[in-house]
Amino acid sequence: MRHYPHLYIDGRWTEPSEPREVELVDPTREEPFALVALGGATEVDRAVAAARRAFESFSTTSLDERIALIDRIIDVYESRIDEFSELIAREVGIPVANRAQVTGPAEHMRVARDLLRDYSFESRVGGAIVRREPIGVCALISPWNWPVQTGVIKLIYALAAGCTVVAKPSLNSAASGALLAEVLHQAGVPAGVFNLVSGTGRVVGDALSHHPDVDMISFTGSTGAGKQVGAAAAGTVKRVCLELGGKSANIVLPDADLERAARWNVQRCFFNAGQSCHAPSRMLVHESQVEQVVPFLVDEAERYCLGDPLEPSTTMGPVVSAAQFKSIREHIQSGLDDGANLVTGGLERPDGLERGHFVRPTVFTGVTPEMRIAQEEIFGPVLAVLPYRDEDDALRIANDSPYGLGGFVFGRDRERARRVVNGLRAGRVSFNGAATDSHTPMGGYKQSGIGRSMGRFGLEEYLEVKSVYGFDDEAQTLPTLFG
C-alpha cells in the first residue's frame, strides 16, 4: 500500500490539522492501492495565505527568472515520466502504452516557456500604455481523466504569468497530484508559489471557490460541478475559467472517405476508454451511407486489447471507478431500451476479465437525436451513430446540444467542409482528423465552459489588463496592441 500522508503548503510537506485519509482503489484489481491525505478548510486557508504572501515577490520576478524556473520543472518532470506513467495506470486505468498522457505535459511546459520569450506584457493604443499584470492567487481544480496534463496546463501558465497557485487534484488521481508537487519542490519553486491541498470538492473545492483571497479559479470537470463553482465564485466576483462537459459531433459528409472517417472516429472516441470531454461520441452519417460505415466501425472497435494497463500490449484499460462503470452500463442499457441498434460491444464483460471496471467498446446505430445516448455525456467507450438527410439537418442535429466543446468534419470538398465547420457551435473543430496544436486555445461554447486554456489565450486568463495614460513618449517605444 502506497502512502501519501502530506499536503504541500508554503514549500513544506505538512500533515492535515485533523488526520484524514482516503483510499485510492485500483480500477483494474478493484483493490485499494494507496492512502492519500485529505485537507479541509483550515488547510485551504493556510495555503491561500501562503500563496498571497508569495505573490508579492513572485509577481515581480523577471521573465528570465520564470523561464529558468519552467526549464527546471521540465528537467525534473522528464526524469520522472516513467513514475507518472505507472502511477496513473494504477490510479485511473490509463495504459502505460498511452504515452501522450505523460509526454504531453512537458510539451505544454515548453510552449508556455517559449511564449514568455515573445509575449508583450506592455503594448500601446494611441498614446496609452496597456499593461497585462498577474491576476494574483489562483485556485486550480483538475480532473482525473487527464490527471497530469490538465493540472500542468493550468499551473504552468499561472506560473508563467507570475501568479501563485493552490491546486486541488481530483480525489481519484490525488496520488499523481502529490507526485507533481514533488516535481515542483525538487525544481525549486519558491515557497508559497505552489501549494497542493487534496480533498473533496464539497469541502476543499467549495472553500477555494468561496475564498475572498482567491483571485481566480480554473476548474475542469462536469458541467454540473462547474455551475456550482461559478455560483460560489460569484460571491467574491473572482474570475472563473471553466472547461466542462462535451458531446462532440463528427459530421461525415457524403463525399468523405468513409473508411478513414469511421476508423478515425472510433480511435478518437475510444481513446482513454472514452473518458475524454472532446470525444466524438456522436457520429453523423448521411442516411444513405450508414450501412457502408458499420463494418469499419465494428472492425476498428474490436481491435482494442482490453486488459491490465500496466501491460505494454493493452490499448484500453478499465474505466476509472465503480460509479463510472455503473453509469456507462446504464447508458448502454438506455440505448437498448430506446431501440437503438447495437452493432458491437454491449453490457457483457470482455472475455477473460471477470474483475475490474472494464467496458467493451460499444457502437450503436439507428440512434435518434432525442435518445439519452445522443444527448448525455456518457464518458465511456460508447459511440452513437445518427443519420442525417442533408447539410442543414446535420448541423441542426450537431448543434442540438447544451454542449459545445469540440466538433469534427470529414469530407473532400473543402469549400463545403469549411461551411459546415463554420456552422458548428463549438470551441475546437478539426477537419479530416487534423491534429490539434498546443499553441492554440482550448475551451467551449454554451455549457461546455467559460474562458480558454493553452497558448497566448491561456496565458491571458491569468492576467489583468491595466490602461495607463500620460506616458505618451514611453508608449511610442512599445508594440501596438492592434497591429
Short mmCIF file of all heavy atoms in Angstrom, two decimals, residues 30 42 121 126 139 176 206 212 219 230 237 243 265 290 292 306 347 357 366 400 418 422 424 470 482:
data_model
loop_
_atom_site.label_atom_id
_atom_site.label_comp_id
_atom_site.label_asym_id
_atom_site.label_seq_id
_atom_site.Cartn_x
_atom_site.Cartn_y
_atom_site.Cartn_z
N GLU A 30 -9.67 -3.70 -8.49
CA GLU A 30 -10.74 -3.36 -7.54
C GLU A 30 -10.27 -3.55 -6.10
O GLU A 30 -11.01 -4.03 -5.24
CB GLU A 30 -12.00 -4.18 -7.83
CG GLU A 30 -12.59 -3.93 -9.20
CD GLU A 30 -13.93 -4.62 -9.40
OE1 GLU A 30 -14.87 -4.32 -8.63
OE2 GLU A 30 -14.04 -5.44 -10.33
N THR A 42 -9.33 24.45 6.85
CA THR A 42 -8.16 25.01 7.56
C THR A 42 -6.94 25.01 6.66
O THR A 42 -6.20 26.00 6.60
CB THR A 42 -7.87 24.20 8.84
OG1 THR A 42 -8.99 24.29 9.71
CG2 THR A 42 -6.63 24.72 9.54
N PHE A 121 4.05 42.07 -22.52
CA PHE A 121 3.21 42.38 -21.37
C PHE A 121 2.81 43.86 -21.34
O PHE A 121 1.92 44.24 -20.60
CB PHE A 121 3.92 42.00 -20.07
CG PHE A 121 3.95 40.52 -19.82
CD1 PHE A 121 4.90 39.71 -20.42
CD2 PHE A 121 3.01 39.93 -19.01
CE1 PHE A 121 4.92 38.34 -20.20
CE2 PHE A 121 3.01 38.56 -18.78
CZ PHE A 121 3.97 37.76 -19.38
N GLY A 126 -2.74 54.07 -29.30
CA GLY A 126 -2.58 55.52 -29.40
C GLY A 126 -1.43 55.96 -28.51
O GLY A 126 -0.30 55.49 -28.64
N ALA A 139 -6.73 29.41 -7.79
CA ALA A 139 -7.13 28.07 -7.38
C ALA A 139 -7.33 27.22 -8.62
O ALA A 139 -8.09 27.60 -9.52
CB ALA A 139 -8.41 28.12 -6.55
N SER A 176 -1.10 11.10 -8.12
CA SER A 176 -0.29 11.75 -9.15
C SER A 176 -0.19 13.25 -8.89
O SER A 176 0.79 13.89 -9.26
CB SER A 176 -0.85 11.48 -10.55
OG SER A 176 -2.19 11.89 -10.67
N ASP A 206 -15.15 23.76 -2.53
CA ASP A 206 -16.08 24.81 -2.12
C ASP A 206 -15.35 25.92 -1.38
O ASP A 206 -15.63 27.11 -1.59
CB ASP A 206 -17.16 24.20 -1.24
CG ASP A 206 -18.27 25.20 -0.92
OD1 ASP A 206 -18.98 25.61 -1.85
OD2 ASP A 206 -18.40 25.58 0.25
N PRO A 212 -12.25 34.62 -0.18
CA PRO A 212 -12.11 36.02 -0.62
C PRO A 212 -10.72 36.40 -1.08
O PRO A 212 -10.56 37.39 -1.79
CB PRO A 212 -12.50 36.82 0.64
CG PRO A 212 -12.24 35.89 1.77
CD PRO A 212 -12.55 34.52 1.26
N PHE A 219 -11.30 25.61 -13.30
CA PHE A 219 -11.90 24.31 -12.99
C PHE A 219 -12.12 23.52 -14.26
O PHE A 219 -12.64 24.05 -15.26
CB PHE A 219 -13.25 24.53 -12.28
CG PHE A 219 -14.05 23.26 -12.09
CD1 PHE A 219 -13.83 22.44 -10.99
CD2 PHE A 219 -15.01 22.88 -13.03
CE1 PHE A 219 -14.57 21.27 -10.83
CE2 PHE A 219 -15.74 21.72 -12.87
CZ PHE A 219 -15.52 20.91 -11.77
N GLY A 230 -18.99 28.16 -10.35
CA GLY A 230 -19.29 29.51 -10.82
C GLY A 230 -20.19 30.27 -9.87
O GLY A 230 -19.98 31.46 -9.60
N VAL A 237 -16.81 37.78 -6.75
CA VAL A 237 -16.57 38.30 -8.11
C VAL A 237 -15.15 37.96 -8.58
O VAL A 237 -14.44 38.80 -9.12
CB VAL A 237 -16.82 39.83 -8.18
CG1 VAL A 237 -17.06 40.26 -9.63
CG2 VAL A 237 -18.02 40.23 -7.35
N GLU A 243 -13.64 24.56 -17.97
CA GLU A 243 -13.73 23.62 -19.09
C GLU A 243 -14.58 22.46 -18.63
O GLU A 243 -14.20 21.70 -17.73
CB GLU A 243 -12.35 23.12 -19.54
CG GLU A 243 -12.46 22.27 -20.80
CD GLU A 243 -11.26 21.40 -21.05
OE1 GLU A 243 -10.15 21.75 -20.60
OE2 GLU A 243 -11.43 20.35 -21.70
N ASN A 265 -12.87 7.92 -36.21
CA ASN A 265 -13.86 8.27 -35.19
C ASN A 265 -13.80 7.30 -34.01
O ASN A 265 -13.85 7.70 -32.85
CB ASN A 265 -15.27 8.26 -35.79
CG ASN A 265 -16.26 9.07 -34.98
OD1 ASN A 265 -16.84 10.04 -35.45
ND2 ASN A 265 -16.47 8.68 -33.73
N VAL A 290 -25.09 4.89 -43.93
CA VAL A 290 -24.88 4.31 -42.61
C VAL A 290 -24.42 2.85 -42.71
O VAL A 290 -23.46 2.44 -42.04
CB VAL A 290 -26.15 4.42 -41.74
CG1 VAL A 290 -25.97 3.66 -40.43
CG2 VAL A 290 -26.48 5.89 -41.48
N GLN A 292 -22.83 1.41 -44.96
CA GLN A 292 -21.48 1.28 -45.50
C GLN A 292 -20.41 1.45 -44.43
O GLN A 292 -19.33 0.87 -44.53
CB GLN A 292 -21.26 2.30 -46.61
CG GLN A 292 -22.14 2.12 -47.83
CD GLN A 292 -21.90 3.23 -48.86
OE1 GLN A 292 -20.77 3.46 -49.30
NE2 GLN A 292 -22.96 3.93 -49.23
N LEU A 306 -8.16 -5.12 -24.44
CA LEU A 306 -8.51 -4.70 -23.09
C LEU A 306 -7.74 -5.55 -22.08
O LEU A 306 -7.58 -6.76 -22.27
CB LEU A 306 -10.01 -4.85 -22.84
CG LEU A 306 -10.89 -3.70 -23.35
CD1 LEU A 306 -10.97 -3.67 -24.85
CD2 LEU A 306 -12.29 -3.79 -22.74
N LEU A 347 -23.35 -4.89 -22.83
CA LEU A 347 -23.28 -4.95 -21.38
C LEU A 347 -22.35 -6.04 -20.85
O LEU A 347 -21.90 -5.98 -19.71
CB LEU A 347 -24.68 -5.16 -20.80
CG LEU A 347 -25.67 -4.01 -21.00
CD1 LEU A 347 -27.09 -4.46 -20.62
CD2 LEU A 347 -25.27 -2.81 -20.15
N HIS A 357 -13.07 -2.67 -13.76
CA HIS A 357 -14.16 -1.87 -14.33
C HIS A 357 -14.01 -1.75 -15.84
O HIS A 357 -13.87 -0.65 -16.40
CB HIS A 357 -14.18 -0.49 -13.67
CG HIS A 357 -14.22 -0.53 -12.18
ND1 HIS A 357 -15.11 -1.32 -11.48
CD2 HIS A 357 -13.48 0.12 -11.25
CE1 HIS A 357 -14.92 -1.15 -10.18
NE2 HIS A 357 -13.94 -0.28 -10.00
N GLY A 366 -28.76 3.55 -35.70
CA GLY A 366 -30.20 3.76 -35.53
C GLY A 366 -30.53 4.67 -34.37
O GLY A 366 -31.62 4.59 -33.78
N ASP A 400 -27.76 20.67 -31.68
CA ASP A 400 -28.86 20.46 -30.75
C ASP A 400 -28.33 19.79 -29.49
O ASP A 400 -28.58 18.61 -29.22
CB ASP A 400 -29.95 19.60 -31.39
CG ASP A 400 -31.14 19.38 -30.46
OD1 ASP A 400 -31.33 20.20 -29.53
OD2 ASP A 400 -31.86 18.37 -30.65
N ARG A 418 -15.64 23.62 -45.11
CA ARG A 418 -15.39 24.85 -44.36
C ARG A 418 -16.71 25.49 -43.93
O ARG A 418 -16.82 26.02 -42.82
CB ARG A 418 -14.57 25.81 -45.22
CG ARG A 418 -14.19 27.12 -44.55
CD ARG A 418 -13.14 26.92 -43.48
NE ARG A 418 -12.76 28.17 -42.86
CZ ARG A 418 -11.85 29.02 -43.34
NH1 ARG A 418 -11.22 28.74 -44.46
NH2 ARG A 418 -11.58 30.15 -42.71
N ASN A 422 -17.70 26.06 -40.03
CA ASN A 422 -18.10 27.37 -39.51
C ASN A 422 -19.48 27.34 -38.88
O ASN A 422 -19.81 28.17 -38.03
CB ASN A 422 -18.05 28.41 -40.62
CG ASN A 422 -16.63 28.72 -41.08
OD1 ASN A 422 -15.67 28.34 -40.42
ND2 ASN A 422 -16.50 29.38 -42.21
N LEU A 424 -20.66 24.87 -37.02
CA LEU A 424 -20.67 24.15 -35.76
C LEU A 424 -20.43 25.10 -34.59
O LEU A 424 -19.49 25.91 -34.62
CB LEU A 424 -19.58 23.06 -35.76
CG LEU A 424 -19.91 21.78 -36.53
CD1 LEU A 424 -18.67 20.91 -36.66
CD2 LEU A 424 -21.03 21.00 -35.84
N GLY A 470 -0.79 59.21 -19.93
CA GLY A 470 0.13 60.28 -19.56
C GLY A 470 1.59 59.99 -19.83
O GLY A 470 2.45 60.80 -19.54
N PHE A 482 -2.93 46.47 -31.54
CA PHE A 482 -3.76 46.00 -32.63
C PHE A 482 -3.05 46.06 -33.97
O PHE A 482 -3.62 46.42 -34.99
CB PHE A 482 -5.07 46.80 -32.68
CG PHE A 482 -5.85 46.73 -31.41
CD1 PHE A 482 -6.04 47.85 -30.61
CD2 PHE A 482 -6.39 45.53 -30.99
CE1 PHE A 482 -6.75 47.78 -29.43
CE2 PHE A 482 -7.11 45.45 -29.81
CZ PHE A 482 -7.29 46.57 -29.03
#
